Amino acid sequence: MNKIYHAVYETMADWETGHATAHIRNGHHHREPGRYELVTVGLTTEPVTTMGGLRVTPDVPIGSVEDAAMLILPGAALWDEGDELAPFARKARELLEAGVPVAAICGATAGLAREGVFDTRGHTSAAPAYLQMQQGYGGAEHYVEALAVTDGDLITGTPTAPVDFAREIFAKLDLYTPEVLEAWYQLFAHSDASAFETLMASSDA
């Protein structure tokens, strides 16, 4: 159960999950390094072009997701342009019902809202009004004004806070001790130089 699936699709917002993926793969984890394998998942295995212009070839199609430790859903213009990415939202609902964590940021939260995932779970997004525009959304009472929110196995984030989103992912995956996780956050969110020493000390351990 060590595969972390990262969805990739046309118009994907590269920067929203960059902190998370870089440190899942390369961070000095307090458990064994390389504990998780990052697998890219697309609608098919045809190459896609991200919003930043990077060309990415998915490792597997959405129908082949198995033994998932987590599914990460970045934002994309496509989430707001129709239901082409709905298979990712359906898979997210299936995984959550099976007790597998799902992390969604920005436009991906709209897809989960339409799928009914937020009707019973605490969540955040770009703004409450953004989700209220989504047909099928019934979770307004569970909306939380925060940069990133974890409710059980569901992690959601606002588009302007990739560091906060990554912190919630790392905590859920138990990548770091709480002290090291806080130091990581202080360094990347607030450029706190003193936090760097804590991180360096942990990597030498």
Side-chain angles (χ1 to χ4, degrees), residues 111-182:
L112 296 192
R114 293 193 292 268
E115 190 63 30
V117 167
F118 295 162
D119 292 0
T120 56
R121 298 176 176 91
H123 59 277
T124 194
S125 181
Y130 175 59
L131 294 186
Q132 285 160 6
M133 292 189 305
Q134 310 304 324
Q135 187 173 6
Y137 176 58
E141 66 186 299
H142 301 294
Y143 191 92
V144 181
E145 288 282 358
L147 296 176
V149 172
T150 298
D151 184 352
D153 288 319
L154 175 68
I155 298 167
T156 47
T158 61
T160 55
V163 175
D164 294 76
F165 184 60
R167 178 174 62 170
E168 298 300 309
I169 288 172
F170 299 158
K172 174 58 69 175
L173 295 174
D174 193 27
L175 281 189
Y176 301 108
T177 63
E179 180 193 23
V180 172
L181 180 59
E182 181 59 23

Side-chain angles (χ1 to χ4, degrees), residues 27 50 58 168 178 192-193:
T50 70
E168 298 300 309
D192 180 350

Side-chain angles (χ1 to χ4, degrees), residues 5-81:
Y5 288 90
H6 184 297
V8 293
Y9 18 72
E10 292 288 333
T11 71
M12 178 186 96
D14 323 44
W15 61 92
E16 291 176 347
T17 56
H19 285 86
T21 55
H23 291 274
I24 287 169
R25 284 203 74 224
N26 305 312
H28 297 289
H29 308 149
H30 81 281
R31 297 182 184 275
E32 65 275 15
R35 179 173 162 217
Y36 291 108
E37 177 189 359
L38 204 60
V39 181
T40 54
V41 55
L43 284 171
T44 67
T45 53
E46 289 296 308
V48 298
T49 303
T50 70
M51 205 176 286
L54 300 181
R55 199 161 166 79
V56 180
T57 303
D59 295 318
V60 297
I62 188 67
S64 298
V65 171
E66 57 184 20
D67 294 334
M70 178 179 282
L71 172 65
I72 300 174
L73 298 174
L78 280 185
W79 283 113
D80 297 320
E81 294 172 2

